[in-house]
Amino acid sequence: MSNLKHKKAIITGGGRGLGKATAIAFAKEGIDVAITGRNETVLKATAAELEALGVKAIYSVFDVGHYEQVKSSIKDIIDTLGGVDILVNNAGIAAIGSFNDMPVEQWSEMIQTNVMGMYYVTKEVLPHLIDQNGGDIFNVSSTAGLNGNPNISAYCASKFAVIGMSESLMKEVRKNNIRVITLTPSTIESDMTIELGIAKEGSHENVLQPEDFAELIVSGLKLPRRAMMKSAALWSTNP
Ligand SMILES: NC(=O)c1ccc[n+]([C@@H]2O[C@H](COP(=O)([O-])OP(=O)(O)OC[C@H]3O[C@@H](n4cnc5c(N)ncnc54)[C@H](OP(=O)(O)O)[C@@H]3O)[C@@H](O)[C@H]2O)c1
């Protein structure tokens, strides 16, 4: 089992939802964590919760869809953390709307955030992992990255793209002892799914919870370095 204590992680969208649950699970393993997002109030509160678990916890406010912001923020994070071992590309947005009704700007924003954002952040972190000949990158796609469905074309397009980008990167950097893991979770209770009307608040017994997702990531990290969870689909036992 790998020792995760004092490893350093960056989690995009780490202030709430799946990202926050992952940050808490990491902190419980002794991993120092940097969480990122656009809402400083939320990030600050989550960082305080993480610090209370006894690890170094910092936050950084930037939009993953803006390359210049990503570039300078990731540099600052890595300088402050004193390195980086783990990246969880989790920040993302979703919206429902028919192909014709969804405004062009909203369609583009989903691609800009979910695809370009992941690309920008990874591009800035990757050289550090290559230099140290090791690291782990978790890329959050979705079941929506595996199957198209009506009224969700932009989100599906973005999550299909994540799988292509993630698998290509995995094959490129496996030789550098960097594990790139593509995750395709099904519906998990979070702000996103509650706002979309596909999960109900407080439905703990029936619907996947962010903690379940976090547990999957930690179990991937704990595999011996010779082994890699190439991809993982998290499904509920209650269809
Ligand atoms: N929940 C599910 O059922 C489910 C299933 C499959 C995949 N996913 C994926 O899992 C990831 C997390 O989802 P979630 O359910 O936790 O959603 P959520 O509760 O809505 O949280 C989304 C996170 O992404 C951050 N974010 C969004 N746009 C951003 C931007 N432009 N720049 C920086 N940060 C941004 C948000 O932070 P700020 O608000 O502070 O910017 C927030 O922390 C997403 O990629 C989602 O597509 C979720």
Side-chain angles (χ1 to χ4, degrees):
M1 194 179 280
S2 310
N3 186 5
L4 300 176
K5 214 168 165 57
H6 301 309
K7 294 276 184 202
K8 298 164 180 44
I10 299 174
I11 304 173
T12 66
R16 58 195 172 96
L18 279 52
K20 177 180 176 179
T22 305
I24 290 172
F26 280 11
K28 286 181 178 166
E29 294 290 335
I31 300 172
D32 294 332
V33 193
I35 52 171
T36 83
R38 296 160 302 174
N39 185 325
E40 180 159 17
T41 310
V42 168
L43 289 168
K44 206 172 177 175
T46 301
E49 280 186 52
L50 297 170
E51 256 184 357
L53 293 167
V55 295
K56 182 170 183 175
I58 60 169
Y59 69 86
S60 177
V61 184
F62 64 92
D63 185 333
V64 292
H66 289 265
Y67 185 46
E68 290 311 316
Q69 288 182 30
V70 170
K71 226 171 148 175
S72 62
S73 306
I74 294 292
K75 185 186 178 309
D76 289 348
I77 289 172
I78 294 173
D79 286 349
T80 312
L81 275 184
V84 59
D85 305 293
I86 302 157
L87 168 63
V88 182
N89 274 314
N90 162 77
I93 51 172
I96 291 175
S98 78
F99 200 93
N100 269 340
D101 288 344
M102 185 175 287
V104 168
E105 296 72 23
Q106 194 177 14
W107 218 97
S108 307
E109 193 195 354
M110 232 165 315
I111 301 296
Q112 190 62 28
T113 304
N114 298 357
V115 183
M116 298 310 293
M118 185 178 289
Y119 162 68
Y120 296 153
V121 173
T122 307
K123 190 171 169 58
E124 295 311 302
V125 170
L126 192 61
H128 298 271
L129 304 184
I130 291 175
D131 279 355
Q132 70 194 19
N133 193 41
D136 292 285
I137 301 175
F138 292 85
N139 291 325
V140 185
S141 177
S142 165
T143 45
L146 299 167
N147 295 293
N149 268 307
N151 301 319
I152 193 161
S153 61
Y155 187 67
C156 280
S158 74
K159 294 300 185 180
F160 267 69
V162 163
I163 293 179
M165 171 165 53
S166 187
E167 287 194 6
S168 299
L169 178 63
M170 181 271 286
K171 289 182 178 169
E172 213 172 297
V173 299
R174 195 151 63 114
K175 64 180 184 303
N176 302 96
N177 187 33
I178 299 169
R179 304 185 292 194
V180 180
I181 299 105
T182 310
L183 301 172
T184 56
S186 178
T187 301
I188 302 171
E189 188 184 322
S190 72
D191 291 348
M192 179 182 280
T193 48
I194 291 166
E195 279 159 22
L196 292 175
I198 54 177
K200 283 202 185 91
E201 201 161 2
S203 49
H204 281 64
E205 290 310 311
N206 305 315
V207 179
L208 288 171
Q209 295 299 307
E211 297 73 27
D212 307 334
F213 171 84
E215 206 167 307
L216 177 69
I217 295 199
V218 170
S219 67
L221 280 176
K222 284 184 172 174
L223 286 171
R225 286 293 328 164
R226 64 175 174 268
M228 173 173 64
M229 186 162 76
K230 172 188 167 286
S231 56
L234 189 68
W235 279 34
S236 157
T237 43
N238 300 285

